[in-house]
Amino acid sequence: MNTANDLVARGAQRHKQGKVQEAEGLYRRALKLNPNHPDAHNLLSVALRARGAVAEALAASTRAVALAPGHPLMLANHGAALAEAGQLPEAITAMQQCLALAPGDATTWRNLGQALAAAGRPADAVGPLTTATQLAPAMAEAWLALAHAQRESGNAFAARAPAARALELSGRDKGMAEQARFLLAALGEAETPDRAPAAYVRQLFDTFAPRFDAELEGKLDYRTPALLAEALLAAGIPAEGVLDVLDLGCGTGLSGVALAPFARRLEGVDLSPRMLEAARARNLYAALHEMDLLAFLPRKPAAWDIIAAADVLNYLGDLAPVLAAMRAALRPGGTIAFSLETGEAVPFALGEGMRYRHNPAHVLGLAEAAGLNLLAQTPVTLRQERGQPVAGALLLLRC
Ligand SMILES: C[S@@+](CC[C@H](N)C(=O)[O-])C[C@H]1O[C@@H](n2cnc3c(N)ncnc32)[C@H](O)[C@@H]1O
């Protein structure tokens, strides 16, 4: 006969073999027999988190810690589920409680560091991440997170060695190698690639999503969407809700809010599912697409009256492919509107902030080659970064 314990043990075995779906089924059967089985709730939460069912995972981990208070493993998993759900202060507390009981848990030290960094406290993340690398010297992700925390707390020099270590340890993990190389490039220690790795952008904005709006509109004084809308109006484009508008890199939809008055139909594209979730909640977009913008643009040729990219092209280095793709997706007489972070270097430079800067004159040359003409160019301050204004430009182009 199958007892709840048997089912949980079999589930854990399947789980270890990577058969997560089967494991989930076994945990659920165990919970039918014993709805108060803490291990079943705990392991179910881990399985749910693995397939991105964030809210359900959190409900299961909450149940597990309620049934087995003070259990370090359950606190660790609960902390991870809270972090996934963007509840960072609660995640940090759960992880700290876990580590007080189980100070040798390298994964939770890493998760704690990542949660602190995600909460905008990179300097506080350095200690936990250093501990993680000491306890698990082969954990590439902890080295990479440590390098980012050092860089974000203004210590670029100290970021170099952990970034190099992450690259050495990446082995067959191509995504990890690409991310470590990208960071090393931003630190001036490797060749600059043509674009930011998609996995890096996705992870960055998934992590940032819960505090994106408050941070950008609050302390970073982010005005790019409003400035782009002003530039469109000044160029004589009517805000009368009659145009088909594509918001590239729509994020949480701050740009959608500014573009909506122009749109009969507004669609958004973004790499980050978490940013898209927030955008969806605004009920502004007729459709949202979780895709790389370069893959999305060719899907609908000559379809858009406005293609906008607010604070997005700074994640691409070589702008020739995106300009050509935007040109092909534009309806005759349509307008392309985007912001750039500006610099002198040609063709582009990657800053320590891990974003690309472009020289507007060079970009205009690329635009011309793609069959686009300048409609308007405005120098602007895009936002603040570490108390300093970020210099940029708004470009409006037409075919
Ligand atoms: C700084 S946010 C700006 C979001 C929004 N446009 C706004 O103004 O608030 C940049 C967004 O671009 C997205 N992004 C960057 N590169 C992308 C790419 N290649 N394809 C799709 N989305 C991308 C990121 O995921 C992120 O949500």
Side-chain angles (χ1 to χ4, degrees), residues 195 201 205 212 216 222 225 247-252 254-255 269-272 275 291-294 310-312 315-316:
R195 57 166 293 166
V201 172
F205 284 99
F212 183 84
L216 282 209
Y222 175 59
D247 186 6
L248 293 176
C250 61
T252 61
L254 290 178
S255 39
V269 186
D270 205 284
L271 276 168
S272 157
M275 296 291 271
M291 272 181 95
D292 195 296
L293 61 90
L294 282 164
D311 211 17
V312 177
Y315 295 94
L316 298 174

Side-chain angles (χ1 to χ4, degrees), residues 24 53 72:
E24 185 183 325

